[in-house]
Amino acid sequence: MNLDDRAAIPPEVLVRQLGEETVILDLASGTYFGLDESGTRIWQLLQQGATLREVCNAMLAEFDAAPQDIERDVLDLARELSGRGLIRIA
Amino acid sequence: MYNIDDYGDMIADRQRTGAFARALEAAVRPGDVVLDIGTGTGIFPLFACRFGASRVHAIESAPHIQVARETAAANGVQERVIFHEGSSRRIELPERVDVIVSDLRGQLPMFRQSLLAIIDARRRFLAPGGRIIAERDDLWMAPVEAPNLAKAFRQPWCENPWGFDLSAGLPLAANTVARGPVGAQQLLAAPMLYAAVDYVRAETAELQARAQMRIERDGEADGLATWFDAVLFEDIVLSNAPGAPLSYGQAFLRWPKAVKVTAGDIVEVDVRADLVGTDYVWSWQSTVRRAQGTVVESFRQSTFLGEPMTPSMMQAISSRHVPDLGEDGDVDRLVLEHMRGRNSLGQIAAVLAARYPHRFAGEAEALRHVAELSLRYRRMPGESR
């Protein structure tokens, strides 16, 4: 996985946002996965087709955090989502 | 799950009960052993005995099984019908059976854990060469003009007469699978057979299918009706098609708004039903196209989006959540820890009332709570330790 990758959301993944939080339902496994405020924003950007680099840049503009921390958080979350089958990296 | 009136309605539905009776007559041979999953108040075992069954195992988790026992006795077959109280998936039978009968449908066969129960029973209990009633459910779909059904769910949230913005309720209402009835005259396209549930061979309880229908007349489509034709046994079919006088009612997959359609338009639907926990999540993605391909409307809906939910509930079900037991949990844990075959409910209630005086006004109130838990978690007759 690298910063030029984009994510696709499989059809068996359903998403529900309430306020600043999100819960993702994976119909394949019947399990739920929660995202906090920053995770929700990362998910929105991925859903819009942004590359991981574009996600990092947007997060840097919106959240008060160091660039290396944002990049680590974005990549960690993308790896976890990918590992659980909630996104497909392309 | 069902009350006595529901069972009464099912028995009184002559089309339904008559079709199952004919199927049992055709499938049961003299001396057969029959299994009835979800016997309810126990009418199928009576038919099975009438048609020659030597023994019927009747399974029911609802307390109405007592009515079934008394009914068997009233009809003189109490020696031939063996009742099993509980979930079929947790019950062991002493023998293989020649016929399995069940009617666990809602408006559609994907209803709670019914398919899992049938698949499990077929694998564990059906003798080689055995028969299943029903053998198959064919699933049909058509776009429908159903202004009354649509108005009933849209109007409170979109057009209320009180001058408030109540639109927050619409996404929940629009992502709910409702119950018909839908009449044949309300169909906007010829029905499409989009899936079949083959009970003889099914290995999965999930559904995933695509339907494509061509609009046959101009109108306003409010959503999709879907129903079953149950092939009970050989040529005996129970159809729940629009207009059929059956008690099940058709399922109505709503659209969030009415769509003007003209003859020749194409309606494409990707539909799936996934068993999540104890019930199904239904998802339906609908696209309406003009004949030349222009997309008029597209909706992606799911009952997952129709469940009332708060942010704290969302957190509580997430796989990443680290749970912390609330006081309700502490109370129930204390009660369950005392249910080890040594203490009476009264003794447990005394402990509970003393430990949580701010929750229970006295031992009587604590006893009511302990009794509820005792009912829910009691060891069922025949359940092994």
Side-chain angles (χ1 to χ4, degrees), chain A residues 1-10 24 33-35 38-43 45-47 50-53 55-56 59 69-90, chain B residues 320:
Chain A
M1 185 178 300
N2 65 61
L3 290 172
D4 294 320
D5 286 335
R6 296 177 200 273
I9 298 165
I24 302 167
F33 186 81
L35 297 174
S38 60
T40 295
R41 185 67 185 125
I42 292 169
W43 179 273
L45 291 161
L46 290 173
Q47 201 170 19
T51 64
L52 295 178
R53 191 185 313 281
V55 173
C56 291
M59 296 295 287
D69 291 342
I70 283 188
E71 185 175 314
R72 186 196 60 230
D73 289 349
V74 168
L75 284 169
D76 282 353
L77 182 61
R79 284 193 193 97
E80 185 166 11
L81 292 170
S82 175
R84 292 174 181 269
L86 302 176
I87 59 172
R88 291 194 195 113
I89 294 297
Chain B
R320 296 206 295 183

Side-chain angles (χ1 to χ4, degrees), chain B residues 247-296:
Chain B
S247 51
Y248 303 89
Q250 300 81 28
F252 176 48
L253 305 178
R254 300 161 165 177
W255 284 348
K257 62 177 187 179
V259 180
K260 282 189 187 305
V261 292
T262 54
D265 286 355
I266 301 294
V267 178
E268 287 174 349
V269 184
D270 286 303
V271 62
R272 58 186 295 160
D274 297 88
L275 190 58
V276 176
T278 57
D279 214 340
Y280 281 90
V281 171
W282 281 88
S283 306
W284 60 106
Q285 184 164 0
S286 317
T287 303
V288 181
R289 300 178 196 280
R290 295 285 180 245
Q292 71 274 23
T294 315
V295 173
V296 180

Side-chain angles (χ1 to χ4, degrees), chain A residues 10-19 21-25 27-28 30-36 77 80 84, chain B residues 172 206 272 274-277 281-283 300 302-311 314-315 317-320:
Chain A
E12 65 271 18
V13 170
L14 299 177
V15 182
R16 184 155 177 191
Q17 192 179 339
L18 284 182
E21 301 201 9
T22 296
V23 67
I24 302 167
L25 170 58
L27 292 170
T31 57
Y32 300 89
F33 186 81
L35 297 174
D36 59 12
L77 182 61
E80 185 166 11
R84 292 174 181 269
Chain B
L172 270 64
E206 321 288 339
R272 58 186 295 160
D274 297 88
L275 190 58
V276 176
V281 171
W282 281 88
S283 306
R300 190 176 184 196
S302 172
T303 53
F304 172 57
L305 305 175
E307 284 293 319
M309 197 176 276
T310 66
M314 279 179 23
Q315 287 173 1
I317 58 176
S318 168
S319 58
R320 296 206 295 183

Side-chain angles (χ1 to χ4, degrees), chain B residues 88-109:
Chain B
S88 66
R89 292 166 60 209
R90 298 200 194 103
I91 282 171
E92 294 292 339
L93 294 186
E95 59 190 333
R96 291 266 174 169
V97 304
D98 303 294
V99 177
I100 293 176
V101 61
S102 68
D103 182 19
L104 304 172
R105 294 166 190 76
Q107 288 105 52
L108 292 169

